[in-house]
Amino acid sequence: MEAQGLDWLLVPLQQLVSWGAAGAMVFGGVVPYIPQYQDIRRTQNADGFSTYVCLVLLLANILRILFWFGRHFESPLLWQSIIMILTMLLMLRLCTEVRVTNELNLKRRSFADFDLHHFWRWSSFSDYVQCVLAFSGVAGYVTYLCIDSTLFVETLGFLAVFTEAMLGVPQLCRNHRHRSTEGMSIKMVLMWTSGDTFKTAYFLLNHVPLQFSICGLLQVFVDLAILLQAYTYARRPPKPAPHAAHPASAKAL
């Protein structure tokens, strides 16, 4: 009787928690980029942020949306992908504007040049948009042709979440090459870690496709490796900056 009497409270509470978890999944992924966006805008320096992070997330979320057409998963994950794509485009626009403003004698490079040596280092935000649209069109057409193949759909799902799991690898490599995490927002990485931990727990509890859970765990390990880099490099004495180098001439990965 007591349990039945509490149903009026427990049922709405469970629904509220469910809505909260879904909302956290949809918008939680973009929160880590807010402090990084603010830092870049304030300092007018994007050297500490790898724009390849944007590339990884754009590819991963486009593939995830295509995977949804072959195997429907929970709606919050679909909306998360849409919100993340818009966020990464905003990050790319800011980074491109800052880089073009800071670099002197910048040679014009565009997506239409098809120069692999300067891939994802273009001079205009519109070139990045063209690249994203071209990839979406080709991937969408292939998915349309192969949508009835279970093997293709499952492989597409794995590629989507595995690509996202590699999110932190460009930042990890950049930090290792420069032996420094200067310019990288520690708050962003801490939010990555907490968000990925929550996301992986959400995957495990809601029985989403296995690819999501495995790659979620991998993503948490990469986040922890970046935090270890930040701790390790912070303990080293800073290297003296060469006088001949212009501070804005350094390029992020």
Side-chain angles (χ1 to χ4, degrees):
M1 292 295 293
E2 291 182 1
Q4 292 178 350
L6 290 176
D7 284 348
W8 67 272
L9 177 62
L10 293 178
V11 172
L13 184 60
Q14 290 174 351
Q15 188 66 47
L16 185 62
V17 171
S18 177
W19 288 344
M25 283 301 303
V26 172
F27 297 103
V30 305
V31 172
Y33 299 97
I34 295 175
Q36 184 71 69
Y37 185 93
Q38 292 173 333
D39 287 346
I40 294 173
R41 195 174 184 85
R42 185 183 68 254
T43 63
Q44 289 298 296
N45 189 333
D47 291 344
F49 178 73
S50 173
T51 55
Y52 282 91
V53 170
C54 299
L55 173 62
V56 169
L57 278 175
L58 285 168
L59 295 181
N61 285 282
I62 290 169
L63 292 177
R64 188 198 285 185
I65 291 173
L66 294 176
F67 176 50
W68 182 85
F69 287 99
R71 181 179 177 185
H72 285 10
F73 46 81
E74 292 197 346
S75 297
L77 297 177
L78 177 63
W79 282 107
Q80 181 196 51
S81 293
I82 297 172
I83 297 297
M84 184 60 74
I85 288 172
L86 296 175
T87 302
M88 289 303 101
L89 290 175
L90 286 175
M91 288 292 297
L92 272 176
R93 181 177 181 178
L94 176 64
C95 291
T96 304
E97 290 175 351
V98 168
R99 188 179 72 248
V100 171
T101 301
N102 289 343
E103 291 188 357
L104 303 176
N105 301 321
L106 181 67
K107 182 180 179 181
R108 165 74 185 181
R109 300 189 179 99
S110 68
F111 170 66
D113 295 336
F114 300 110
D115 186 351
L116 292 179
H117 291 92
H118 298 105
F119 177 76
W120 212 249
R121 294 179 181 273
W122 301 309
S123 306
S124 173
F125 172 66
S126 62
D127 293 303
Y128 294 95
V129 175
Q130 292 173 34
C131 180
V132 170
L133 291 176
F135 175 80
S136 301
V138 172
Y141 182 67
V142 173
T143 301
Y144 173 76
L145 295 177
C146 304
I147 197 68
D148 294 327
S149 170
T150 302
L151 177 61
F152 173 82
V153 171
E154 293 300 325
T155 302
L156 182 65
F158 174 78
L159 288 175
V161 292
F162 182 75
T163 303
E164 185 176 359
M166 295 295 100
L167 162 66
V169 172
Q171 193 70 52
L172 188 75
C173 294
R174 180 201 173 279
N175 296 342
H176 177 72
R177 189 175 71 250
H178 292 283
R179 294 293 191 274
S180 170
T181 57
E182 184 179 359
M184 182 190 75
S185 172
I186 300 298
K187 290 184 290 185
M188 178 187 72
V189 182
L190 287 171
M191 290 180 181
W192 274 359
T193 308
S194 58
D196 291 338
T197 302
F198 170 81
K199 181 172 63 178
T200 303
Y202 182 90
F203 292 160
L204 293 171
L205 293 174
N206 286 274
H207 307 292
V208 298
L210 183 62
Q211 302 101 312
F212 285 80
S213 300
I214 294 175
C215 293
L217 290 171
L218 178 59
Q219 201 167 356
V220 172
F221 288 136
V222 174
D223 295 341
L224 293 175
I226 295 176
L227 287 175
L228 180 61
Q229 282 183 325
Y231 174 77
T232 303
Y233 297 148
R235 294 169 61 87
R236 295 182 179 179
K239 295 181 180 179
H243 296 288
H246 190 280
S249 64
K251 293 179 181 286
L253 177 66

